[in-house]
Amino acid sequence: MFLFNVRVYGILVDANQEVLISDEKAESASFTKFPGGGLEYGEGLIEALKREYIEECNFDVDVVKHLYTTDFYEKSSFNESQIISVYYEVKAKSDMHLNIKKLPFDFDGEAVDGKQQAFRLVPVKDLKTDDLTFKTDQIAWEHYLKSLN
């Protein structure tokens, strides 16, 4: 049994003031979140975030600053673990070569390892808290917006 599940995510806003979000379907659940994923044993948070961006998005990021760490109890949607999520503001180190979609959950092809994923760029002014599925993403987005002021 996993007691804690440490996750790390990056909020990336491009030069056009659009935020990168990920629509995913896994284990019959569909959700919208920021790119990122689980910390692997033996790696640090920033190392894990950079690895996740390379694996999911196929480009490198620089970490700009810490935005938010989960400060409440959250049970995993997929097992009995407690989720601890850490969010950073990130910027792309190179051009993003992603197949950017306009519509939510517009997946290409079949699932890989039981997972489908599609990326969207949404204007910062248009992304609503409720557009994000998980409470931690919602709170992190609110922290990001507050950091703009």
Side-chain angles (χ1 to χ4, degrees):
M1 182 172 134
F2 301 99
L3 299 178
F4 294 99
N5 184 345
V6 180
R7 318 288 295 171
V8 61
Y9 299 97
I11 296 179
L12 186 149
V13 175
D14 68 10
N16 297 319
Q17 292 303 297
E18 295 177 313
V19 61
L20 182 64
I21 58 174
S22 175
D23 295 314
E24 300 181 24
K25 183 174 183 179
E27 299 181 28
S28 301
S30 297
F31 46 91
T32 300
K33 65 178 195 60
F34 296 110
L39 183 73
E40 293 179 358
Y41 183 78
E43 70 184 349
L45 291 168
I46 291 173
E47 179 184 7
L49 181 56
K50 290 180 176 189
R51 174 187 51 76
E52 285 288 343
Y53 259 85
I54 290 171
E55 288 177 4
E56 288 187 18
C57 305
N58 203 28
F59 64 87
D60 289 317
V61 294
D62 278 328
V63 173
V64 176
K65 67 179 177 182
H66 173 263
L67 289 170
Y68 175 71
T69 299
T70 307
D71 56 2
F72 59 92
Y73 172 76
E74 182 176 39
K75 183 189 167 297
S76 171
S77 298
F78 302 102
N79 59 44
E80 295 302 313
S81 66
Q82 178 176 344
I83 300 291
I84 299 170
S85 298
V86 183
Y87 293 81
Y88 291 95
E89 180 181 344
V90 299
K91 65 179 180 177
K93 288 175 67 173
S94 60
D95 291 338
M96 293 187 285
H97 298 288
L98 291 171
N99 183 8
I100 300 295
K101 302 295 187 165
K102 295 289 183 194
L103 300 174
F105 306 104
D106 184 11
F107 302 119
D108 291 328
E110 297 296 315
V112 177
D113 295 328
K115 177 181 171 184
Q116 290 180 292
Q117 184 173 30
F119 294 98
R120 289 185 287 143
L121 284 168
V122 178
V124 168
K125 63 181 180 51
D126 294 342
L127 184 64
K128 307 294 182 250
T129 302
D130 290 344
D131 294 337
L132 300 162
T133 304
F134 302 115
K135 184 177 178 181
T136 52
D137 288 283
Q138 294 171 351
I139 294 171
W141 183 239
E142 290 170 359
H143 277 263
Y144 174 79
L145 293 173
K146 286 178 188 172
S147 77
L148 298 178
N149 297 330

